[in-house]
Amino acid sequence: MLTLPQESVCSPSAAQPLDVPMLRPPEAASPRACAEPPAARRRPLLARCFRIASARRGGGSAAAFRSAVLGVCRGFILLYKLFAAIMRLVILEDYDQASEWAAKYICNRIIQFKPTQGRYFTLGLPTGSTPLGCYKKLIEYHKNGDLSFKYVKTFNMDEYVGLPRNHPESYHSYMWNNFFKHIDIDPNNAHILDGNAPDLQVECDAFEKKIEEAGGIDLFVGGIGPDGHIAFNEPGSSLSSRTRLKTLAMDTILANAKYFDGDLSKVPTMALTVGVGTVMDAREVMILITGAHKAFALYKAIEEGVNHMWTVSAFQQHPRTIFVCDEDATLELRVKTVKYFKGLMHVHNKLVDPLYSMKEN
Amino acid sequence: MPSNKSVSDAPIAQFTNCRLLRGRRLQREDLWVREGKILNPEKLFFDEKGSADVQLDCKGCILAPGFIDVQINGGFGVDFSLATDDFRSGIDLVAQKILSHGVTSFCPTLVTSPPSVYHQILPQISVRNGGAHGAGILGAHLEGPFISKEKKGAHPEHCIRTFEENGFQDLLATYGSLDCIRIVTLAPEIKRSSEVIQELTKRGICVSLGHSVANLSQAEEAVQHGATFITHLFNAMLPFHHRDPGIVGLLTSDKIPAGRRVFYGMISDGIHTNPAALRIAHRAHPKGMVLVTDAIAGMGLAPGRHTLGQQVVEIDGLNTYIAGTKTLSGSVATMDTCVRHFLEATGCSVETALEAASLHPAQLLGIEDRKGTLNYDSDADFLMLDDSLHVQATYIAGEEVWRQDALGM
């Protein structure tokens, strides 16, 4: 794994650091470029283009100037692509590979952001069986010393109402056992809705405020229900909803029964959840969808229109969404869709390769 | 990471990279300790927003609750049944030395002795917490003098008594005071034993059956009146017979009151019981097995002659006999040796072997809410063991009180 180079090369005026994922121009992405002495990477883009152009052309300042201008134009086009809305469907072979891809992406995003005291990376987090593999991989990167959550703030999507916080099926327990206890996050920065708060609406409003105070969410990671819901925004939820109390749909209760010994009467019927609008406010959204049982929901989410009966479909209108799925989850998509996005995998893979590390080289 | 504890400012230690014995199995979890108790890290994280001040790498060790020895007569030259001037320092010495065997709490045991010995010694035994000074004392175990003459074993016959005349008053007169008595071993066939057992049980003292020729129904009656323990099963009692299993039959008796469990102590040193007998008992009633050492003064010392109360005993390897006879008298095995031998002889799981020396004695004494487990809010008395159950370090109340020297001394 390589550490992040000193300066983001793609920014012609490095006035403010780009905190969006970038497709690196070929010059910078190659290991050869990263092996250059540090001084070379600090030179402005224009001068560098001049130098490369001169080296190629072997002299002739007019030709060099043309090449330099072309290089700058390439940079602007890239910039446009970067700031333009983008939807990715990343298809991996199986659950493990999908989990790993997602974890690598999150890892790279955090590291490229260079979070510090006073400038935290904010992450929205899901629960359920889908993200478990991703959490395991993130823990692995942390234990290897490649990733730290010291300057990361997290906001979970939802929590059951009325379930004691230390109940083994509460989302507090889930997050503690599957993630928080293995990493170095500051407990003050791990936010989960309190389903036992005395006033639930006040709790929801306070949560929204906390997100706002944290500067909004940089990357919201979510899953999808078999009924196409995001968080607990059940079919029929308003697509501009905010954090609130929701009654769970029967599909959701049935899907969750497996965590309560198959006894439907033990499954909580209400939950606090971030709204569709809350997640739409995030600067970037990543939805994890694995397994054949989610295939129909994925089809409805991306091949049909935006519809409040399939609330994940709202993200068709989000400027920056990535759907990460495995082969089984694509079973209800058109062959054409799947082939198109699979064909883009070499582009998608540049987002996770090279995989960065916080270790010093 | 700065910790922000609203409940307490005491430092929090996190023991990582270990396998904990919790929930009856070994789990890959970290052990969190604060103020001598085991802490719930999830509660710390969400309620107090706290985190660890110190992290200690256990290097893959097994973390088990400290062993509890409910039958130990002495060791390292100290005999708990001998009233000497420096009795207190003797008990302190043993308490300190057994830390290296993994024992964090024990019941100093007195064999059958004359009343004067009890009157002199018992006031010098006090229930106290363990620490760097040594293992904690839970109270005395009085093995006798109300036992059967036929099954006296190594106990002096002239000191054996009964309470047929005045029942409980006789017992009180013999012992002097009941403060700090935790367990009494007696023979239930002695007349008026039922009332004595009831009186003792009422006062929270555990009654054990041993050195007895009781048959099964006498034993069952004793259990119904409150007895919950059997002292060194098989030894000093009638042998198992298929038409009258005797005290041994309690392991599978159907006359045990509901909600109660009969525990039985076994000296698994390979000498006091044949491994096959150990296995029979374990398989018949695995949840009742309590490992004890029944160690005598010679434990930890070179072979030769030592005292045991009013007798002289001879040590030869792991065997201890009354001098000049073939009567077994106590053992020189250490608790960790017993645990390892038990594991090997029964082929049981590591968890079962560890529980027989920690959880079960705690359950017997009714203290499992604070000892014998690594549950949250329990006392942080625990051991670091390697895979073959050799003690690497002993902790009491979260503080390291003994560590295996690298040179293996």
Side-chain angles (χ1 to χ4, degrees):
Chain A
M1 286 201 263
L2 304 169
T3 51
L4 185 67
Q6 294 282 355
E7 189 181 276
S8 72
V9 177
C10 292
S11 160
S13 66
Q16 74 183 49
L18 277 180
D19 58 352
V20 291
M22 50 197 79
L23 285 178
R24 301 186 153 278
E27 302 95 316
S30 68
R32 179 171 47 86
C34 292
E36 276 177 356
R41 282 185 248 135
R42 287 200 201 102
R43 289 193 188 141
L45 182 65
L46 198 61
R48 223 169 136 233
C49 292
F50 248 99
R51 192 172 53 79
I52 293 166
S54 319
R56 282 198 185 135
R57 299 268 183 221
S61 61
F65 183 78
R66 205 168 61 232
S67 302
V69 168
L70 270 174
V72 172
C73 287
R74 225 183 278 139
F76 274 115
I77 290 165
L78 200 66
L79 216 60
Y80 167 77
K81 272 197 193 154
L82 291 170
F83 282 112
I86 194 154
M87 198 287 283
R88 296 185 210 280
L89 180 63
V90 177
I91 304 171
L92 285 308
E93 200 182 308
D94 56 24
Y95 175 77
D96 289 334
Q97 292 198 20
S99 301
E100 190 173 3
W101 196 99
K104 282 180 175 173
Y105 185 78
I106 296 170
C107 182
N108 273 0
R109 287 286 283 112
I110 294 173
I111 294 175
Q112 285 172 315
F113 184 86
K114 294 196 243 194
T116 59
Q117 179 77 29
R119 188 171 162 267
Y120 286 75
F121 185 87
T122 45
L123 196 53
L125 292 178
T127 52
S129 51
T130 307
L132 283 174
C134 180
Y135 283 135
K136 280 203 177 75
K137 276 305 205 181
L138 287 171
I139 291 165
E140 192 189 298
Y141 301 152
H142 169 68
K143 292 234 184 303
N144 289 340
D146 297 312
L147 179 62
S148 165
F149 291 86
K150 197 163 169 207
Y151 299 118
V152 173
K153 280 189 178 158
T154 63
F155 290 88
N156 264 67
M157 297 186 122
D158 42 25
E159 172 62 285
Y160 290 117
V161 164
L163 206 59
R165 203 214 55 221
N166 60 359
H167 189 284
E169 293 304 326
S170 82
Y171 287 166
H172 280 79
S173 295
Y174 176 102
M175 289 307 298
W176 169 255
N177 285 312
N178 293 310
F179 197 48
F180 294 147
K181 80 176 173 194
H182 305 280
I183 59 171
D184 62 344
I185 190 165
D186 183 338
N188 288 300
N189 292 334
H191 303 280
I192 308 181
L193 285 156
D194 178 7
N196 293 302
D199 187 330
L200 295 173
Q201 192 51 53
V202 164
E203 171 67 15
C204 293
D205 295 341
F207 200 72
E208 287 275 343
K209 198 138 194 341
K210 277 186 215 156
I211 294 175
E212 200 187 328
E213 280 160 6
I217 309 259
D218 292 305
L219 172 61
F220 218 127
V221 182
I224 190 174
D227 58 0
H229 71 221
I230 175 84
F232 277 135
N233 292 287
E234 308 287 55
S237 294
S238 160
L239 297 181
S240 36
S241 50
R242 310 304 304 184
T243 305
R244 69 222 183 283
L245 172 68
K246 277 295 277 187
T247 305
L248 304 185
M250 182 45 77
D251 273 342
T252 305
I253 293 175
L254 286 169
N256 288 348
K258 68 181 183 231
Y259 301 118
F260 293 87
D261 303 322
D263 185 351
L264 289 183
S265 65
K266 289 196 182 135
V267 185
T269 54
M270 298 210 286
L272 300 183
T273 177
V274 292
V276 182
T278 317
V279 185
M280 283 290 283
D281 281 352
R283 284 181 274 286
E284 186 174 9
V285 175
M286 181 163 81
I287 310 284
L288 304 175
I289 308 148
T290 55
H293 58 300
K294 301 284 174 80
F296 192 74
L298 178 59
Y299 149 66
K300 281 289 185 186
I302 65 173
E303 282 189 344
E304 298 281 300
V306 174
N307 186 318
H308 67 171
M309 296 310 282
W310 302 89
T311 48
V312 175
S313 64
F315 297 98
Q316 292 176 25
Q317 297 202 301
H318 189 283
R320 184 149 234 102
T321 305
I322 306 182
F323 291 91
V324 179
C325 53
D326 63 358
E327 293 272 0
D328 283 347
T330 64
L331 287 173
E332 294 281 354
L333 298 179
R334 288 206 191 97
V335 175
K336 192 160 79 170
T337 312
V338 175
K339 278 192 170 174
Y340 174 72
F341 283 106
K342 273 190 172 169
L344 286 173
M345 276 312 291
H346 68 286
V347 170
H348 295 156
N349 281 332
K350 286 187 184 161
L351 296 168
V352 296
D353 180 25
L355 183 59
Y356 294 111
S357 165
M358 285 182 175
K359 275 188 196 147
E360 264 127 42
N361 259 354
Chain B
M1 193 176 314
S3 33
N4 171 22
K5 296 165 287 278
S6 49
V7 170
S8 159
D9 278 332
I12 296 173
Q14 179 186 3
F15 294 83
T16 64
N17 192 10
C18 55
R19 286 162 288 155
L20 283 190
L21 178 59
R22 187 181 280 159
R24 324 302 303 261
R25 52 189 188 89
L26 287 179
Q27 306 182 14
R28 271 235 159 251
E29 293 282 350
D30 294 344
L31 185 75
W32 294 64
V33 177
R34 177 168 68 184
E35 289 180 305
K37 297 232 182 251
I38 295 171
L39 187 60
N40 182 342
E42 187 179 345
K43 230 165 148 231
L44 176 73
F45 187 89
F46 288 124
D47 285 345
E48 298 180 48
K49 312 281 186 216
S51 42
D53 294 295
V54 167
Q55 286 189 330
L56 297 116
D57 185 346
C58 300
K59 302 193 176 20
C61 273
I62 294 173
L63 287 197
F67 298 147
I68 300 173
D69 194 354
V70 300
Q71 188 172 2
I72 168 172
N73 307 287
F76 308 96
V78 175
D79 178 0
F80 295 147
S81 305
L82 204 62
T84 59
D85 290 331
D86 57 349
F87 182 82
R88 279 214 170 92
S89 55
I91 221 178
D92 288 346
L93 175 74
V94 174
Q96 207 268 319
K97 290 276 193 185
I98 56 178
L99 292 176
S100 65
H101 306 156
V103 177
T104 52
S105 303
F106 70 110
C107 294
T109 307
L110 275 72
V111 295
T112 297
S113 305
S116 55
V117 167
Y118 295 116
H119 295 169
Q120 267 181 284
I121 290 180
L122 287 181
Q124 299 192 60
I125 296 177
S126 51
V127 171
R128 67 170 193 225
N129 288 328
H133 56 272
I137 295 174
L138 298 171
H141 175 170
L142 301 183
E143 192 187 356
F146 303 104
I147 56 173
S148 156
K149 288 202 162 117
E150 290 105 78
K151 290 291 177 187
K152 63 182 189 291
H155 293 220
E157 186 165 342
H158 65 279
C159 299
I160 292 175
R161 298 158 78 85
T162 79
F163 36 58
E164 284 171 0
E165 277 207 42
N166 298 315
F168 188 64
Q169 294 310 314
D170 277 338
L171 183 139
L172 263 180
T174 307
Y175 294 148
S177 132
L178 292 182
D179 301 335
C180 304
I181 298 180
R182 204 65 192 82
I183 308 174
V184 169
T185 294
L186 49 78
E189 68 271 20
I190 299 176
K191 286 204 183 54
R192 298 182 74 162
S193 66
S194 303
E195 83 178 62
V196 169
I197 293 173
Q198 276 178 321
E199 289 294 326
L200 287 169
T201 311
K202 242 190 332 196
R203 287 162 172 75
I205 294 174
C206 169
V207 175
S208 183
L209 308 178
H211 288 275
S212 156
V213 293
N215 57 34
L216 179 58
S217 43
Q218 284 168 324
E220 281 167 342
E221 197 188 323
V223 168
Q224 272 148 15
H225 285 109
T228 50
F229 196 42
I230 303 171
T231 300
H232 45 56
L233 186 77
F234 294 128
N235 299 104
M237 56 185 66
L238 289 176
F240 172 86
H241 185 280
H242 52 286
R243 277 192 291 279
D244 189 351
I247 293 177
V248 179
L250 285 176
L251 264 57
T252 46
S253 164
D254 57 357
K255 303 245 181 351
I256 313 292
R260 202 109 69 72
R261 191 191 306 174
V262 171
F263 293 88
Y264 54 97
M266 288 203 81
I267 311 166
S268 67
D269 61 352
I271 292 155
H272 279 74
T273 33
N274 186 291
L278 194 61
R279 285 191 287 274
I280 286 176
H282 169 63
R283 286 181 206 175
H285 182 30
K287 287 192 157 66
M289 170 74 70
V290 170
L291 297 180
V292 301
T293 58
D294 201 15
I296 57 158
M299 182 264 285
L301 297 181
R305 291 188 158 222
H306 304 276
T307 63
L308 175 62
Q310 314 293 312
Q311 309 266 38
V312 177
V313 298
E314 197 154 338
I315 297 172
D316 170 23
L318 271 179
N319 301 295
T320 45
Y321 302 104
I322 297 183
T325 73
K326 278 287 167 198
T327 306
L328 286 173
S329 59
S331 83
V332 291
T334 63
M335 190 53 133
D336 56 324
T337 314
C338 288
V339 171
R340 286 193 293 276
H341 181 265
F342 176 68
L343 178 73
E344 199 201 308
T346 58
C348 67
S349 65
V350 163
E351 294 92 321
T352 306
L354 293 171
E355 282 182 344
S358 57
L359 174 67
H360 293 171
Q363 287 173 329
L364 165 71
L365 298 178
I367 54 174
E368 65 174 302
D369 57 330
R370 53 188 175 86
K371 299 260 186 237
T373 69
L374 296 179
N375 295 339
Y376 302 137
D377 302 327
S378 263
D379 291 351
D381 296 350
F382 60 93
L383 312 171
M384 278 190 206
L385 304 151
D386 65 15
D387 284 349
S388 53
L389 301 189
H390 284 87
V391 183
Q392 303 300 308
T394 306
Y395 286 76
I396 292 184
E399 301 294 325
E400 184 185 287
V401 294
W402 182 82
R403 173 160 285 275
Q404 168 82 285
D405 189 61
L407 295 172
M409 293 194 313

